[in-house]
Amino acid sequence: MKSTNQKIPLHFPNGIELFIKREDQLHPIISGNKFRKLKYNIRAAKEQNKKTLLTFGGAFSNHIVAVAGAGKEFDFETIGIIRGEELQEKIQENPSLVVAQQFGMKLVFVSRDTYRLKDTPEFLEDLQSKFGDFYLLPEGGTNVLAIKGCEEILSDDDINFTHICASIGTGGTISGLINRAASHQNIIGFSSLKGDFLQNDIAKFANQKNWTINCEYHFGGYGKVTNELIEFINSFNLKHAIPLDPIYTGKMMFGIFDLIQNNYFPPNSKILAIHTGGLQGIAGMNIKLEKSGKTMITI
Ligand SMILES: *Cc1c(COP(=O)(O)O)cnc(C)c1O
């Protein structure tokens, strides 16, 4: 499956061109990179005769919604271990969890302390004794099979781009891009979180060295936004009719525009930005923005 590259028809300085790969349009529910990350995992789960997918996520997680949607489409039971016990009483205020539940996902709320233990053998045993046999997908969906799926984001036609940009959460998507890219291409990951602990995770999976991580555009950290970011997202959508999400792709695109302005890219660079999806998260963010009286994201 191949998504279209759309040119952003702006006159950038120094002959720079910018295209956006519309991975957000791959699937109506299992959006963007989450579709790529699930593809080979779903196949493996079927091969192993698993009936249930179990995974982890935060309150507005794109991954949780994608797994719930994949369960419905490919006929699996799904269980989502959700960070934050307090959310249980407030599901109705959370569009992402409502949708996951509508797709049949069983939501299990755990405290933040318990959630932190999710990768320990004891926690896993506890889950197995409670829920029986399942296919485990890690938080954010990143594993070797997910990276294999993300290698399919790029196709042979993309060889002429000098720079490939994507947003980073766990680093799975960027690892797939790095593995698929040609050695003359530069891959730039824009971190959606504060801190540079991602470097090692990516180096573990990636088989080339032509990549950098930019940590300048996290806007205060994971899930944090500023008015400036929201206004950028709104004006981008108004000009180009391309919605961006506030957690990942909006921050990446803001970063790309800012780097172009600051002459980071050499003249005549041909940049491909990956729209990794995540648009389902806008509804939840808008509820938060409205509550605090801030500018909301127009859709
Ligand atoms: C999950 C997600 C990412 C981050 O992907 P990783 O593979 O975890 O780095 C980026 N963009 C969107 C829209 C996402 O939903």
Side-chain angles (χ1 to χ4, degrees):
M1 257 163 105
K2 217 162 92 172
S3 47
T4 43
N5 293 342
Q6 194 175 336
K7 185 166 189 190
I8 304 298
L10 291 174
H11 270 286
F12 293 108
N14 305 321
I16 287 172
E17 289 183 289
L18 175 61
F19 291 74
I20 184 165
K21 189 181 277 295
R22 299 298 304 273
E23 290 276 296
D24 56 311
Q25 296 178 330
L26 267 189
H27 188 284
I29 302 298
I30 315 168
S31 124
N33 64 344
K34 300 304 184 283
F35 181 94
R36 302 290 186 183
K37 293 171 106 173
L38 283 168
K39 177 179 165 185
Y40 290 106
N41 279 293
I42 296 283
R43 209 171 274 184
K46 287 278 182 211
E47 278 162 15
Q48 294 166 29
N49 275 319
K50 303 284 187 183
K51 303 282 176 270
T52 303
L53 307 174
L54 182 143
T55 195
F56 310 93
F60 298 97
S61 164
N62 295 327
H63 170 66
I64 286 288
V65 174
V67 171
K72 185 161 165 72
E73 181 156 333
F74 301 104
D75 214 13
F76 291 97
E77 304 281 324
T78 51
I79 301 170
I81 311 294
I82 309 297
R83 181 180 60 230
E85 281 168 316
E86 74 284 356
L87 295 168
Q88 182 138 26
E89 282 89 61
K90 299 189 286 189
I91 293 184
Q92 292 315 318
E93 293 171 34
N94 185 316
S96 305
L97 295 180
V98 167
V99 167
Q101 222 172 24
Q102 280 166 353
F103 288 133
M105 181 176 261
K106 180 181 170 64
L107 301 175
V108 180
F109 295 88
V110 299
S111 69
R112 278 148 221 276
D113 287 339
T114 308
Y115 191 86
R116 240 169 258 131
L117 303 172
K118 69 184 180 313
D119 297 324
T120 63
E122 293 77 18
F123 192 67
L124 206 64
E125 275 167 37
D126 189 42
L127 289 173
Q128 274 157 346
S129 68
K130 276 199 189 102
F131 303 115
D133 190 36
F134 51 75
Y135 185 91
L136 182 78
L137 292 158
E139 181 183 46
T142 291
N143 58 16
V144 171
L145 290 178
I147 291 165
K148 181 178 168 189
C150 288
E151 291 172 10
E152 297 176 358
I153 294 173
L154 293 177
S155 69
D156 293 346
D157 309 342
D158 297 326
I159 192 88
N160 292 325
F161 289 103
T162 57
H163 295 78
I164 296 162
C165 301
S167 173
I168 302 184
T170 61
T173 305
I174 197 93
S175 298
L177 294 171
I178 293 166
N179 292 348
R180 181 68 172 80
S183 56
H184 70 267
Q185 295 179 302
N186 302 288
I187 298 95
I188 308 170
F190 291 82
S191 180
S192 61
L193 345 105
K194 223 191 266 188
D196 49 8
F197 47 90
L198 287 157
Q199 205 89 24
N200 297 333
D201 290 345
I202 295 167
K204 212 166 52 190
F205 288 117
N207 64 12
Q208 298 198 81
K209 301 231 181 306
N210 48 341
W211 52 276
T212 45
I213 298 183
N214 183 306
C215 297
E216 305 298 311
Y217 301 100
H218 57 67
F219 290 86
Y222 186 75
K224 300 275 193 334
V225 297
T226 65
N227 215 28
E228 190 185 17
L229 176 67
I230 301 296
E231 273 162 14
F232 173 81
I233 289 171
N234 286 345
S235 86
F236 188 87
N237 194 3
L238 192 69
K239 274 201 202 96
H240 308 298
I242 301 173
L244 299 169
D245 84 293
I247 316 287
Y248 296 105
T249 54
K251 294 181 180 182
M252 168 197 68
M253 195 57 82
F254 187 104
I256 293 171
F257 272 60
D258 201 46
L259 291 178
I260 292 175
Q261 291 304 319
N262 289 302
N263 295 320
Y264 171 89
F265 295 98
N268 303 316
S269 290
K270 223 176 145 192
I271 306 164
L272 179 65
I274 312 295
H275 194 319
T276 40
L279 301 175
Q280 70 84 28
I282 292 175
M285 179 60 76
N286 269 344
I287 291 176
K288 281 198 258 181
L289 291 169
E290 185 170 28
K291 268 192 188 151
S292 50
K294 301 209 170 109
T295 308
M296 289 161 66
I297 302 163
T298 42
I299 29 174

